[in-house]
Amino acid sequence: MKVRLSPSGLAFDTEAGTTLLNAAEASGIELPASCRNGTCRTCICKRLSGESRHTIQWPGLSADEKDEGWILPCVAEAVSDLSLEVPGARALFAD
């Protein structure tokens, strides 16, 4: 599955069973992150299109935030191709 990030235009591939944060890092892309367990909300971002699911039952999001498309990439995985708004995303290495 392909994950595209805006506004940076960066993209990476992921597969089922891999968190979005881990897949991004494996592709040389840094996303904002801290706790990596779904509580601190440092990595919160907006899902613009596609489907994802959280790997824990109670991520640090309200029901309203989930309904609005907010996700925590440290404990979320793609179910389809995704487009995410992640202003703090950056490439770790120059092309």
Side-chain angles (χ1 to χ4, degrees):
M1 290 167 275
K2 180 69 78 176
V3 180
R4 298 186 191 291
L5 308 176
S6 65
S8 67
L10 296 169
F12 60 92
D13 292 320
T14 188
E15 56 189 44
T18 302
T19 67
L20 297 169
L21 180 61
N22 287 341
E25 288 175 344
S27 297
I29 297 172
E30 180 180 68
L31 304 181
S34 184
C35 74
R36 297 178 176 266
N37 65 20
T39 58
C40 77
R41 297 170 54 98
T42 300
C43 66
I44 192 170
C45 67
K46 184 89 177 244
R47 185 182 61 241
L48 302 174
S49 67
E51 294 297 321
S52 63
R53 73 171 154 253
H54 286 99
T55 60
I56 61 173
Q57 188 172 5
W58 301 105
L61 297 170
S62 70
D64 287 342
E65 287 172 324
K66 288 180 192 177
D67 290 345
E68 293 169 4
W70 294 98
I71 65 169
L72 299 174
C74 71
V75 291
E77 60 186 22
V79 176
S80 70
D81 288 347
L82 289 173
S83 178
L84 303 175
E85 184 176 339
V86 188
R90 67 181 188 94
L92 292 174
F93 309 104
D95 287 339

